[in-house]
Amino acid sequence: MITILAIESSCDDTSAAVIQDGYLLSNVTANQKVHKKYGGVVPELASRAHQANIIPVVDAALKDAGIIVSEVDAIAFTRGPGLLGSLLVGVSFAKGFALANNIPMIEVNHLHGHIAALFLKEKGIAHYDPQFPFITLLVSGGHTQIIKVSGFFEKEIIGETIDDAAGEAFDKTAKILGLPYPGGPLIDKYAKLGNPNCFSFSRPKVGNTDFSFSGLKTAILYFIRDEHKKNSDFVKENLYDICASVQFTIIDILVEKLKNAVKQTGIKEIALAGGVSANSGLRDRLRAEAAANHWSLHIPDFKFTTDNAAMIAITAYHKYLKKKFVGQNVTAEARLKDI
Ligand code: KG4
Ligand code: ZN
């Protein structure tokens, strides 16, 4: 039996998970509420909260899994990309844990983790892995990419954002509207109550499979500023319609580029990954597109969409099988590439 403890601490969620022979046994996450009032993650506060959370979170993950420390065969951690101070907490914990228990360490790229979440299995729950090669739309707070995945360790980026990520487009819109961070889930909630065709925003003109969201952010900022001049209650009176219209625009941009990637590659095995894959509008739209275009669609279980250690654990399990270990000289990498 192979038992792995995994840690995720790249941004503002402290998470630990235990996986055994590829089946998830536990996944515990402490969300940091401290950033809410600042309209974004404050790196210094995030690292401090990780330090306070990591031991209780690991403890809870081991207990939930019914595993004791001496049964753990390897410890995995997110090496990057992410906030350096946040990553350092996870990396340092993993080093100490590996040294104290004389077990190997496995580094995981956070983005690889988001894609690997599609392979997470739990005992007694039916699951269908995506078949290689597949196309992933990876949409998170820091990244927006279209990736061709030909094997567990074979990936090729075929499109990405030239500026903001899709999650940032949600979060920055929320900030403009005076909503707390992270704005994505709130916009999702309000969008359900509004008319997506009420307001229209122009689409970016970038390459076939590339994205750009900074123009949209500016368009929303100016639109709200101009309307506010005419009616200081504009946002309050139109909040649901604004959220529905912005969300519709972001989804439409994502889907158009994904369709271009399908055309370009001829691959109809499609997957969605990353925090923005929690968006109900995006999930519904992709289901409709899959039915209309005969795609085989894979969407992660809702609880594995935003940052979690389960996705780090499943990546680490595949790395363990290939004996891809790292030594004590490993460092956290805020801009880690090579997904
Ligand atoms: O993957 P993730 O948890 O962290 C990063 O790796 O960045 O993604 C976080 C992003 C945030 O921008 C958040 O607003 C967005 O995912 N998000 C959503 C939803 N839930 C989370 N965006 C739209 N709708 C949601 N329901
Ligand atoms: Zn993430």
Side-chain angles (χ1 to χ4, degrees):
M1 251 186 330
I2 301 163
T3 307
I4 299 170
L5 169 66
I7 312 289
E8 155 63 35
S9 71
S10 65
C11 191
D12 60 341
D13 295 307
T14 320
S15 187
V18 177
I19 200 164
Q20 197 163 56
D21 291 340
Y23 284 89
L24 187 70
L25 297 187
S26 68
N27 180 44
V28 176
T29 303
N31 305 115
Q32 303 180 1
K33 304 274 179 266
V34 59
H35 311 287
K36 243 188 173 118
K37 60 178 175 217
Y38 298 103
V41 176
V42 184
E44 299 300 326
L45 296 179
S47 339
R48 269 187 246 164
H50 281 306
Q51 271 183 316
N53 291 341
I54 193 146
I55 306 271
V57 164
V58 166
D59 230 27
L62 289 170
K63 278 206 186 85
D64 262 20
I67 292 289
I68 54 170
V69 168
S70 60
E71 290 175 292
V72 177
D73 297 307
I75 176 134
F77 59 94
T78 304
R79 185 178 171 207
L83 300 170
L84 190 60
S86 291
L87 291 165
L88 265 173
V89 177
V91 175
S92 308
F93 178 88
K95 284 184 182 182
F97 193 94
L99 211 53
N101 297 290
N102 198 23
I103 54 172
M105 278 191 291
I106 301 168
E107 62 159 294
V108 174
N109 180 305
H110 180 82
L111 300 175
H112 192 180
H114 272 303
I115 299 172
L118 292 154
F119 294 84
L120 271 167
K121 285 187 265 297
E122 293 170 276
K123 286 245 160 77
I125 300 177
H127 175 83
Y128 303 97
D129 282 347
Q131 301 299 301
F132 301 118
F134 62 91
I135 299 289
T136 308
L137 174 64
L138 173 62
V139 273
S140 73
H143 293 80
T144 297
Q145 296 176 328
I146 297 177
I147 302 165
K148 178 179 166 186
V149 186
S150 306
F152 208 86
F153 299 103
E154 280 166 62
K155 297 180 215 71
E156 183 195 344
I157 297 171
I158 56 177
E160 61 189 326
T161 181
I162 58 165
D163 43 53
D164 291 353
E168 268 177 292
F170 276 102
D171 296 337
K172 287 179 176 173
T173 301
K175 200 170 178 179
I176 294 168
L177 299 176
L179 302 174
Y181 177 86
L186 270 182
I187 292 190
D188 188 356
K189 185 174 156 193
Y190 297 149
K192 286 186 188 132
L193 307 166
N195 173 4
N197 300 310
C198 194
F199 306 109
S200 69
F201 301 99
S202 59
R203 310 299 156 96
K205 289 175 187 57
V206 285
N208 215 18
T209 48
D210 286 332
F211 303 90
S212 165
F213 287 104
S214 77
L216 177 64
K217 172 193 65 191
T218 313
I220 294 165
L221 183 69
Y222 289 166
F223 168 71
I224 298 293
R225 190 194 58 187
D226 293 347
E227 293 297 330
H228 184 83
K229 276 186 201 152
K230 293 182 248 168
N231 170 12
S232 59
D233 283 334
F234 178 76
V235 169
K236 211 162 89 193
E237 286 168 8
N238 296 279
L239 185 61
Y240 298 161
D241 289 339
I242 299 170
C243 288
S245 302
V246 169
Q247 178 170 302
F248 176 78
T249 309
I250 295 172
I251 292 172
D252 222 35
I253 293 169
L254 293 172
V255 169
E256 183 202 328
K257 300 308 177 125
L258 180 60
K259 280 176 150 176
N260 289 344
V262 172
K263 228 178 264 162
Q264 189 178 305
T265 60
I267 296 171
K268 290 192 163 195
E269 186 85 5
I270 308 296
L272 181 63
V276 180
S277 69
N279 185 270
S280 55
L282 179 59
R283 293 165 85 92
D284 289 348
R285 172 75 183 270
L286 283 183
R287 285 192 192 105
E289 293 287 349
N293 299 296
H294 310 289
W295 299 345
S296 164
L297 180 68
H298 301 264
I299 297 182
D301 199 297
F302 185 79
K303 60 180 184 284
F304 303 132
T305 53
T306 50
D307 291 349
N308 64 83
M311 68 190 203
I312 305 305
I314 182 70
T315 317
Y317 172 68
H318 285 269
K319 286 192 145 187
Y320 188 101
L321 296 178
K322 297 233 177 269
K323 300 269 175 280
K324 289 176 184 263
F325 302 130
V326 288
Q328 284 283 334
N329 56 349
V330 68
T331 52
E333 286 285 341
R335 296 184 179 279
L336 187 64
K337 291 260 186 303
D338 183 29
I339 73 157

